[in-house]
PDB file of all heavy atoms in Angstrom:
ATOM      1  N   ALA A 207      -0.490  10.294 -20.702  1.00  0.00           N
ATOM      2  CA  ALA A 207      -0.807  11.155 -19.564  1.00  0.00           C
ATOM      3  C   ALA A 207      -1.600  10.394 -18.393  1.00  0.00           C
ATOM      4  O   ALA A 207      -1.308  10.662 -17.221  1.00  0.00           O
ATOM      5  CB  ALA A 207      -1.626  12.393 -20.059  1.00  0.00           C
ATOM      6  N   GLU A 208      -2.448   9.553 -18.837  1.00  0.00           N
ATOM      7  CA  GLU A 208      -3.255   8.823 -17.872  1.00  0.00           C
ATOM      8  C   GLU A 208      -2.315   7.733 -17.081  1.00  0.00           C
ATOM      9  O   GLU A 208      -2.498   7.643 -15.829  1.00  0.00           O
ATOM     10  CB  GLU A 208      -4.276   7.969 -18.526  1.00  0.00           C
ATOM     11  CG  GLU A 208      -5.446   8.832 -19.068  1.00  0.00           C
ATOM     12  CD  GLU A 208      -6.450   8.105 -20.001  1.00  0.00           C
ATOM     13  OE1 GLU A 208      -6.038   7.072 -20.502  1.00  0.00           O
ATOM     14  OE2 GLU A 208      -7.628   8.503 -20.058  1.00  0.00           O
ATOM     15  N   GLU A 209      -1.308   7.202 -17.831  1.00  0.00           N
ATOM     16  CA  GLU A 209      -0.392   6.294 -17.177  1.00  0.00           C
ATOM     17  C   GLU A 209       0.444   7.039 -16.025  1.00  0.00           C
ATOM     18  O   GLU A 209       0.654   6.462 -14.937  1.00  0.00           O
ATOM     19  CB  GLU A 209       0.638   5.765 -18.192  1.00  0.00           C
ATOM     20  CG  GLU A 209      -0.024   4.688 -19.185  1.00  0.00           C
ATOM     21  CD  GLU A 209       0.981   4.223 -20.108  1.00  0.00           C
ATOM     22  OE1 GLU A 209       2.110   4.824 -20.240  1.00  0.00           O
ATOM     23  OE2 GLU A 209       0.633   3.206 -20.885  1.00  0.00           O
ATOM     24  N   VAL A 210       0.819   8.272 -16.330  1.00  0.00           N
ATOM     25  CA  VAL A 210       1.569   9.122 -15.274  1.00  0.00           C
ATOM     26  C   VAL A 210       0.652   9.417 -14.121  1.00  0.00           C
ATOM     27  O   VAL A 210       1.002   9.170 -12.961  1.00  0.00           O
ATOM     28  CB  VAL A 210       1.939  10.518 -15.936  1.00  0.00           C
ATOM     29  CG1 VAL A 210       2.577  11.393 -14.854  1.00  0.00           C
ATOM     30  CG2 VAL A 210       3.059  10.241 -17.046  1.00  0.00           C
ATOM     31  N   ARG A 211      -0.669   9.781 -14.300  1.00  0.00           N
ATOM     32  CA  ARG A 211      -1.546  10.051 -13.235  1.00  0.00           C
ATOM     33  C   ARG A 211      -1.931   8.863 -12.394  1.00  0.00           C
ATOM     34  O   ARG A 211      -2.257   8.912 -11.229  1.00  0.00           O
ATOM     35  CB  ARG A 211      -2.785  10.866 -13.701  1.00  0.00           C
ATOM     36  CG  ARG A 211      -2.458  12.167 -14.175  1.00  0.00           C
ATOM     37  CD  ARG A 211      -3.787  13.037 -14.336  1.00  0.00           C
ATOM     38  NE  ARG A 211      -4.500  12.491 -15.427  1.00  0.00           N
ATOM     39  CZ  ARG A 211      -4.531  12.989 -16.730  1.00  0.00           C
ATOM     40  NH1 ARG A 211      -3.666  13.971 -16.993  1.00  0.00           N
ATOM     41  NH2 ARG A 211      -5.291  12.491 -17.629  1.00  0.00           N
ATOM     42  N   LEU A 212      -1.910   7.612 -13.022  1.00  0.00           N
ATOM     43  CA  LEU A 212      -2.331   6.444 -12.399  1.00  0.00           C
ATOM     44  C   LEU A 212      -1.182   5.676 -11.791  1.00  0.00           C
ATOM     45  O   LEU A 212      -1.462   4.595 -11.260  1.00  0.00           O
ATOM     46  CB  LEU A 212      -3.137   5.580 -13.400  1.00  0.00           C
ATOM     47  CG  LEU A 212      -4.510   6.164 -13.861  1.00  0.00           C
ATOM     48  CD1 LEU A 212      -5.042   5.195 -15.003  1.00  0.00           C
ATOM     49  CD2 LEU A 212      -5.447   6.210 -12.747  1.00  0.00           C
ATOM     50  N   ALA A 213      -0.024   6.205 -11.857  1.00  0.00           N
ATOM     51  CA  ALA A 213       1.144   5.622 -11.208  1.00  0.00           C
ATOM     52  C   ALA A 213       0.959   5.395  -9.709  1.00  0.00           C
ATOM     53  O   ALA A 213       1.370   4.348  -9.142  1.00  0.00           O
ATOM     54  CB  ALA A 213       2.381   6.326 -11.503  1.00  0.00           C
ATOM     55  N   GLU A 214       0.315   6.313  -9.061  1.00  0.00           N
ATOM     56  CA  GLU A 214      -0.009   6.132  -7.642  1.00  0.00           C
ATOM     57  C   GLU A 214      -0.887   5.057  -7.287  1.00  0.00           C
ATOM     58  O   GLU A 214      -0.880   4.415  -6.200  1.00  0.00           O
ATOM     59  CB  GLU A 214      -0.524   7.487  -7.106  1.00  0.00           C
ATOM     60  CG  GLU A 214      -0.734   7.430  -5.551  1.00  0.00           C
ATOM     61  CD  GLU A 214      -1.317   8.763  -4.963  1.00  0.00           C
ATOM     62  OE1 GLU A 214      -1.452   9.712  -5.781  1.00  0.00           O
ATOM     63  OE2 GLU A 214      -1.508   8.856  -3.755  1.00  0.00           O
ATOM     64  N   VAL A 215      -1.786   4.715  -8.316  1.00  0.00           N
ATOM     65  CA  VAL A 215      -2.814   3.530  -8.071  1.00  0.00           C
ATOM     66  C   VAL A 215      -2.220   2.270  -8.459  1.00  0.00           C
ATOM     67  O   VAL A 215      -2.365   1.262  -7.614  1.00  0.00           O
ATOM     68  CB  VAL A 215      -4.058   3.855  -8.849  1.00  0.00           C
ATOM     69  CG1 VAL A 215      -5.062   2.748  -8.625  1.00  0.00           C
ATOM     70  CG2 VAL A 215      -4.676   5.250  -8.594  1.00  0.00           C
ATOM     71  N   PHE A 216      -1.548   2.113  -9.568  1.00  0.00           N
ATOM     72  CA  PHE A 216      -1.070   0.868 -10.066  1.00  0.00           C
ATOM     73  C   PHE A 216       0.443   0.633 -10.138  1.00  0.00           C
ATOM     74  O   PHE A 216       0.976  -0.384 -10.469  1.00  0.00           O
ATOM     75  CB  PHE A 216      -1.647   0.645 -11.500  1.00  0.00           C
ATOM     76  CG  PHE A 216      -3.094   0.700 -11.515  1.00  0.00           C
ATOM     77  CD1 PHE A 216      -3.788   1.704 -12.258  1.00  0.00           C
ATOM     78  CD2 PHE A 216      -3.878  -0.349 -10.859  1.00  0.00           C
ATOM     79  CE1 PHE A 216      -5.178   1.694 -12.357  1.00  0.00           C
ATOM     80  CE2 PHE A 216      -5.323  -0.167 -10.880  1.00  0.00           C
ATOM     81  CZ  PHE A 216      -5.873   0.817 -11.647  1.00  0.00           C
ATOM     82  N   GLY A 217       1.222   1.699  -9.779  1.00  0.00           N
ATOM     83  CA  GLY A 217       2.636   1.712  -9.962  1.00  0.00           C
ATOM     84  C   GLY A 217       3.011   2.024 -11.291  1.00  0.00           C
ATOM     85  O   GLY A 217       2.275   2.454 -12.061  1.00  0.00           O
ATOM     86  N   GLU A 218       4.349   1.830 -11.527  1.00  0.00           N
ATOM     87  CA  GLU A 218       4.869   2.133 -13.007  1.00  0.00           C
ATOM     88  C   GLU A 218       4.212   1.179 -13.967  1.00  0.00           C
ATOM     89  O   GLU A 218       3.870   0.006 -13.798  1.00  0.00           O
ATOM     90  CB  GLU A 218       6.411   1.883 -13.011  1.00  0.00           C
ATOM     91  CG  GLU A 218       7.151   2.894 -12.147  1.00  0.00           C
ATOM     92  CD  GLU A 218       6.827   4.344 -12.548  1.00  0.00           C
ATOM     93  OE1 GLU A 218       6.783   4.627 -13.678  1.00  0.00           O
ATOM     94  OE2 GLU A 218       6.572   5.157 -11.637  1.00  0.00           O
ATOM     95  N   PRO A 219       3.984   1.720 -15.196  1.00  0.00           N
ATOM     96  CA  PRO A 219       3.354   0.999 -16.361  1.00  0.00           C
ATOM     97  C   PRO A 219       3.960  -0.384 -16.598  1.00  0.00           C
ATOM     98  O   PRO A 219       3.289  -1.255 -16.986  1.00  0.00           O
ATOM     99  CB  PRO A 219       3.314   1.882 -17.496  1.00  0.00           C
ATOM    100  CG  PRO A 219       3.385   3.287 -16.937  1.00  0.00           C
ATOM    101  CD  PRO A 219       4.240   3.213 -15.652  1.00  0.00           C
ATOM    102  N   SER A 220       5.243  -0.474 -16.385  1.00  0.00           N
ATOM    103  CA  SER A 220       5.936  -1.633 -16.567  1.00  0.00           C
ATOM    104  C   SER A 220       5.502  -2.851 -15.742  1.00  0.00           C
ATOM    105  O   SER A 220       5.686  -4.024 -16.030  1.00  0.00           O
ATOM    106  CB  SER A 220       7.487  -1.592 -16.411  1.00  0.00           C
ATOM    107  OG  SER A 220       7.792  -1.048 -15.140  1.00  0.00           O
ATOM    108  N   ARG A 221       4.762  -2.492 -14.649  1.00  0.00           N
ATOM    109  CA  ARG A 221       4.309  -3.438 -13.684  1.00  0.00           C
ATOM    110  C   ARG A 221       2.831  -3.735 -13.841  1.00  0.00           C
ATOM    111  O   ARG A 221       2.239  -4.551 -13.114  1.00  0.00           O
ATOM    112  CB  ARG A 221       4.568  -3.023 -12.240  1.00  0.00           C
ATOM    113  CG  ARG A 221       6.105  -2.802 -11.846  1.00  0.00           C
ATOM    114  CD  ARG A 221       6.182  -2.367 -10.476  1.00  0.00           C
ATOM    115  NE  ARG A 221       5.583  -3.155  -9.472  1.00  0.00           N
ATOM    116  CZ  ARG A 221       4.679  -2.723  -8.640  1.00  0.00           C
ATOM    117  NH1 ARG A 221       4.379  -1.417  -8.580  1.00  0.00           N
ATOM    118  NH2 ARG A 221       4.097  -3.494  -7.740  1.00  0.00           N
ATOM    119  N   TRP A 222       2.117  -3.067 -14.814  1.00  0.00           N
ATOM    120  CA  TRP A 222       0.749  -3.188 -14.816  1.00  0.00           C
ATOM    121  C   TRP A 222       0.116  -4.473 -15.186  1.00  0.00           C
ATOM    122  O   TRP A 222      -0.977  -4.785 -14.927  1.00  0.00           O
ATOM    123  CB  TRP A 222       0.186  -2.067 -15.819  1.00  0.00           C
ATOM    124  CG  TRP A 222       0.196  -0.713 -15.228  1.00  0.00           C
ATOM    125  CD1 TRP A 222       0.887  -0.305 -14.179  1.00  0.00           C
ATOM    126  CD2 TRP A 222      -0.518   0.449 -15.748  1.00  0.00           C
ATOM    127  NE1 TRP A 222       0.654   1.087 -13.919  1.00  0.00           N
ATOM    128  CE2 TRP A 222      -0.209   1.561 -14.952  1.00  0.00           C
ATOM    129  CE3 TRP A 222      -1.300   0.687 -16.839  1.00  0.00           C
ATOM    130  CZ2 TRP A 222      -0.683   2.779 -15.073  1.00  0.00           C
ATOM    131  CZ3 TRP A 222      -1.774   1.948 -16.984  1.00  0.00           C
ATOM    132  CH2 TRP A 222      -1.586   3.062 -16.143  1.00  0.00           C
ATOM    133  N   GLY A 223       1.014  -5.327 -15.762  1.00  0.00           N
ATOM    134  CA  GLY A 223       0.581  -6.671 -16.060  1.00  0.00           C
ATOM    135  C   GLY A 223       0.196  -7.413 -14.772  1.00  0.00           C
ATOM    136  O   GLY A 223      -0.630  -8.326 -14.722  1.00  0.00           O
ATOM    137  N   ASP A 224       0.783  -7.050 -13.662  1.00  0.00           N
ATOM    138  CA  ASP A 224       0.630  -7.626 -12.356  1.00  0.00           C
ATOM    139  C   ASP A 224      -0.295  -6.895 -11.443  1.00  0.00           C
ATOM    140  O   ASP A 224      -1.104  -7.357 -10.595  1.00  0.00           O
ATOM    141  CB  ASP A 224       1.936  -7.893 -11.626  1.00  0.00           C
ATOM    142  CG  ASP A 224       2.844  -8.828 -12.343  1.00  0.00           C
ATOM    143  OD1 ASP A 224       2.438  -9.838 -12.892  1.00  0.00           O
ATOM    144  OD2 ASP A 224       4.018  -8.612 -12.284  1.00  0.00           O
ATOM    145  N   THR A 225      -0.335  -5.566 -11.632  1.00  0.00           N
ATOM    146  CA  THR A 225      -1.050  -4.644 -10.683  1.00  0.00           C
ATOM    147  C   THR A 225      -2.435  -4.187 -11.145  1.00  0.00           C
ATOM    148  O   THR A 225      -3.170  -3.687 -10.323  1.00  0.00           O
ATOM    149  CB  THR A 225      -0.186  -3.385 -10.409  1.00  0.00           C
ATOM    150  OG1 THR A 225       0.032  -2.663 -11.563  1.00  0.00           O
ATOM    151  CG2 THR A 225       1.150  -3.822  -9.778  1.00  0.00           C
ATOM    152  N   LEU A 226      -2.683  -4.263 -12.477  1.00  0.00           N
ATOM    153  CA  LEU A 226      -3.900  -3.860 -12.981  1.00  0.00           C
ATOM    154  C   LEU A 226      -5.029  -4.885 -12.695  1.00  0.00           C
ATOM    155  O   LEU A 226      -5.356  -5.704 -13.488  1.00  0.00           O
ATOM    156  CB  LEU A 226      -3.805  -3.549 -14.450  1.00  0.00           C
ATOM    157  CG  LEU A 226      -4.494  -2.344 -15.045  1.00  0.00           C
ATOM    158  CD1 LEU A 226      -4.116  -1.114 -14.432  1.00  0.00           C
ATOM    159  CD2 LEU A 226      -4.299  -2.292 -16.553  1.00  0.00           C
ATOM    160  N   LYS A 227      -5.604  -4.771 -11.482  1.00  0.00           N
ATOM    161  CA  LYS A 227      -6.476  -5.748 -10.957  1.00  0.00           C
ATOM    162  C   LYS A 227      -7.872  -5.140 -10.767  1.00  0.00           C
ATOM    163  O   LYS A 227      -7.896  -3.939 -10.404  1.00  0.00           O
ATOM    164  CB  LYS A 227      -5.936  -6.529  -9.785  1.00  0.00           C
ATOM    165  CG  LYS A 227      -4.600  -7.129  -9.964  1.00  0.00           C
ATOM    166  CD  LYS A 227      -4.653  -8.320 -10.922  1.00  0.00           C
ATOM    167  CE  LYS A 227      -3.251  -9.047 -10.992  1.00  0.00           C
ATOM    168  NZ  LYS A 227      -3.331 -10.115 -11.961  1.00  0.00           N
ATOM    169  N   PRO A 228      -8.949  -5.879 -10.811  1.00  0.00           N
ATOM    170  CA  PRO A 228     -10.231  -5.329 -10.389  1.00  0.00           C
ATOM    171  C   PRO A 228     -10.322  -4.926  -8.970  1.00  0.00           C
ATOM    172  O   PRO A 228      -9.617  -5.440  -8.095  1.00  0.00           O
ATOM    173  CB  PRO A 228     -11.120  -6.545 -10.680  1.00  0.00           C
ATOM    174  CG  PRO A 228     -10.511  -7.426 -11.625  1.00  0.00           C
ATOM    175  CD  PRO A 228      -9.026  -7.274 -11.287  1.00  0.00           C
ATOM    176  N   PHE A 229     -11.118  -3.807  -8.762  1.00  0.00           N
ATOM    177  CA  PHE A 229     -11.324  -3.354  -7.362  1.00  0.00           C
ATOM    178  C   PHE A 229     -12.687  -2.785  -7.110  1.00  0.00           C
ATOM    179  O   PHE A 229     -13.361  -2.456  -8.178  1.00  0.00           O
ATOM    180  CB  PHE A 229     -10.194  -2.360  -6.956  1.00  0.00           C
ATOM    181  CG  PHE A 229     -10.108  -1.131  -7.747  1.00  0.00           C
ATOM    182  CD1 PHE A 229     -10.781   0.005  -7.364  1.00  0.00           C
ATOM    183  CD2 PHE A 229      -9.398  -1.084  -8.942  1.00  0.00           C
ATOM    184  CE1 PHE A 229     -10.660   1.283  -8.173  1.00  0.00           C
ATOM    185  CE2 PHE A 229      -9.382   0.055  -9.665  1.00  0.00           C
ATOM    186  CZ  PHE A 229      -9.993   1.222  -9.285  1.00  0.00           C
ATOM    187  N   MET A 230     -13.164  -2.642  -5.976  1.00  0.00           N
ATOM    188  CA  MET A 230     -14.485  -2.366  -5.612  1.00  0.00           C
ATOM    189  C   MET A 230     -14.751  -0.799  -5.883  1.00  0.00           C
ATOM    190  O   MET A 230     -13.996   0.038  -5.537  1.00  0.00           O
ATOM    191  CB  MET A 230     -14.814  -2.636  -4.198  1.00  0.00           C
ATOM    192  CG  MET A 230     -16.245  -2.428  -3.689  1.00  0.00           C
ATOM    193  SD  MET A 230     -17.406  -3.485  -4.496  1.00  0.00           S
ATOM    194  CE  MET A 230     -16.855  -5.054  -3.885  1.00  0.00           C
ATOM    195  N   LEU A 231     -15.986  -0.511  -6.387  1.00  0.00           N
ATOM    196  CA  LEU A 231     -16.499   0.905  -6.525  1.00  0.00           C
ATOM    197  C   LEU A 231     -17.598   1.145  -5.577  1.00  0.00           C
ATOM    198  O   LEU A 231     -17.539   2.178  -4.907  1.00  0.00           O
ATOM    199  CB  LEU A 231     -16.886   1.031  -8.037  1.00  0.00           C
ATOM    200  CG  LEU A 231     -17.574   2.382  -8.350  1.00  0.00           C
ATOM    201  CD1 LEU A 231     -16.632   3.536  -7.985  1.00  0.00           C
ATOM    202  CD2 LEU A 231     -18.056   2.411  -9.758  1.00  0.00           C
ATOM    203  N   ALA A 232     -18.627   0.206  -5.567  1.00  0.00           N
ATOM    204  CA  ALA A 232     -19.879   0.637  -4.810  1.00  0.00           C
ATOM    205  C   ALA A 232     -20.592  -0.734  -4.500  1.00  0.00           C
ATOM    206  O   ALA A 232     -20.406  -1.680  -5.145  1.00  0.00           O
ATOM    207  CB  ALA A 232     -20.651   1.560  -5.498  1.00  0.00           C
ATOM    208  N   GLU A 233     -21.407  -0.561  -3.458  1.00  0.00           N
ATOM    209  CA  GLU A 233     -22.438  -1.588  -3.111  1.00  0.00           C
ATOM    210  C   GLU A 233     -23.826  -1.060  -3.244  1.00  0.00           C
ATOM    211  O   GLU A 233     -24.043   0.084  -2.759  1.00  0.00           O
ATOM    212  CB  GLU A 233     -22.223  -2.183  -1.745  1.00  0.00           C
ATOM    213  CG  GLU A 233     -20.866  -2.930  -1.550  1.00  0.00           C
ATOM    214  CD  GLU A 233     -20.843  -3.621  -0.170  1.00  0.00           C
ATOM    215  OE1 GLU A 233     -21.802  -3.517   0.544  1.00  0.00           O
ATOM    216  OE2 GLU A 233     -19.801  -4.252  -0.040  1.00  0.00           O
ATOM    217  N   LEU A 234     -24.664  -1.746  -3.986  1.00  0.00           N
ATOM    218  CA  LEU A 234     -26.077  -1.170  -4.246  1.00  0.00           C
ATOM    219  C   LEU A 234     -27.075  -2.173  -3.632  1.00  0.00           C
ATOM    220  O   LEU A 234     -26.825  -3.281  -3.471  1.00  0.00           O
ATOM    221  CB  LEU A 234     -26.214  -1.169  -5.863  1.00  0.00           C
ATOM    222  CG  LEU A 234     -25.255  -0.478  -6.632  1.00  0.00           C
ATOM    223  CD1 LEU A 234     -25.583  -0.581  -8.143  1.00  0.00           C
ATOM    224  CD2 LEU A 234     -25.032   0.998  -6.224  1.00  0.00           C
ATOM    225  N   SER A 235     -28.211  -1.494  -3.384  1.00  0.00           N
ATOM    226  CA  SER A 235     -29.329  -2.254  -2.758  1.00  0.00           C
ATOM    227  C   SER A 235     -30.611  -1.659  -3.218  1.00  0.00           C
ATOM    228  O   SER A 235     -30.817  -0.460  -3.088  1.00  0.00           O
ATOM    229  CB  SER A 235     -29.198  -2.252  -1.244  1.00  0.00           C
ATOM    230  OG  SER A 235     -30.267  -2.986  -0.637  1.00  0.00           O
ATOM    231  N   THR A 236     -31.583  -2.429  -3.643  1.00  0.00           N
ATOM    232  CA  THR A 236     -32.857  -1.977  -4.150  1.00  0.00           C
ATOM    233  C   THR A 236     -33.910  -3.068  -4.080  1.00  0.00           C
ATOM    234  O   THR A 236     -33.570  -4.236  -3.977  1.00  0.00           O
ATOM    235  CB  THR A 236     -32.742  -1.282  -5.537  1.00  0.00           C
ATOM    236  OG1 THR A 236     -33.926  -0.622  -5.776  1.00  0.00           O
ATOM    237  CG2 THR A 236     -32.551  -2.371  -6.543  1.00  0.00           C
ATOM    238  N   MET A 237     -35.167  -2.682  -4.167  1.00  0.00           N
ATOM    239  CA  MET A 237     -36.315  -3.569  -4.324  1.00  0.00           C
ATOM    240  C   MET A 237     -36.865  -3.498  -5.779  1.00  0.00           C
ATOM    241  O   MET A 237     -37.136  -2.438  -6.209  1.00  0.00           O
ATOM    242  CB  MET A 237     -37.374  -3.319  -3.357  1.00  0.00           C
ATOM    243  CG  MET A 237     -36.912  -3.664  -1.872  1.00  0.00           C
ATOM    244  SD  MET A 237     -36.735  -5.419  -1.515  1.00  0.00           S
ATOM    245  CE  MET A 237     -38.374  -6.028  -1.942  1.00  0.00           C
ATOM    246  N   LEU A 238     -37.142  -4.676  -6.363  1.00  0.00           N
ATOM    247  CA  LEU A 238     -37.833  -4.676  -7.683  1.00  0.00           C
ATOM    248  C   LEU A 238     -39.298  -5.048  -7.459  1.00  0.00           C
ATOM    249  O   LEU A 238     -39.669  -5.900  -6.537  1.00  0.00           O
ATOM    250  CB  LEU A 238     -37.289  -5.709  -8.652  1.00  0.00           C
ATOM    251  CG  LEU A 238     -36.074  -5.345  -9.440  1.00  0.00           C
ATOM    252  CD1 LEU A 238     -34.879  -5.112  -8.578  1.00  0.00           C
ATOM    253  CD2 LEU A 238     -35.783  -6.509 -10.475  1.00  0.00           C
ATOM    254  N   PRO A 239     -40.136  -4.357  -8.085  1.00  0.00           N
ATOM    255  CA  PRO A 239     -41.654  -4.568  -7.927  1.00  0.00           C
ATOM    256  C   PRO A 239     -42.037  -5.891  -8.637  1.00  0.00           C
ATOM    257  O   PRO A 239     -41.266  -6.527  -9.224  1.00  0.00           O
ATOM    258  CB  PRO A 239     -42.232  -3.326  -8.560  1.00  0.00           C
ATOM    259  CG  PRO A 239     -41.312  -2.984  -9.644  1.00  0.00           C
ATOM    260  CD  PRO A 239     -39.999  -3.212  -9.113  1.00  0.00           C
ATOM    261  N   ALA A 240     -43.355  -6.242  -8.503  1.00  0.00           N
ATOM    262  CA  ALA A 240     -43.866  -7.452  -9.230  1.00  0.00           C
ATOM    263  C   ALA A 240     -43.844  -7.234 -10.655  1.00  0.00           C
ATOM    264  O   ALA A 240     -44.084  -6.165 -11.146  1.00  0.00           O
ATOM    265  CB  ALA A 240     -45.358  -7.672  -8.708  1.00  0.00           C
TER     266      ALA A 240
END
């Protein structure tokens, strides 16, 4: 079921060896105290 829903993101599962690549989620920024 997940493979069907994710076809729009990665294409057909037969191609996932090439298309299943890392991608950006977020950029974070903060200050650490002493």
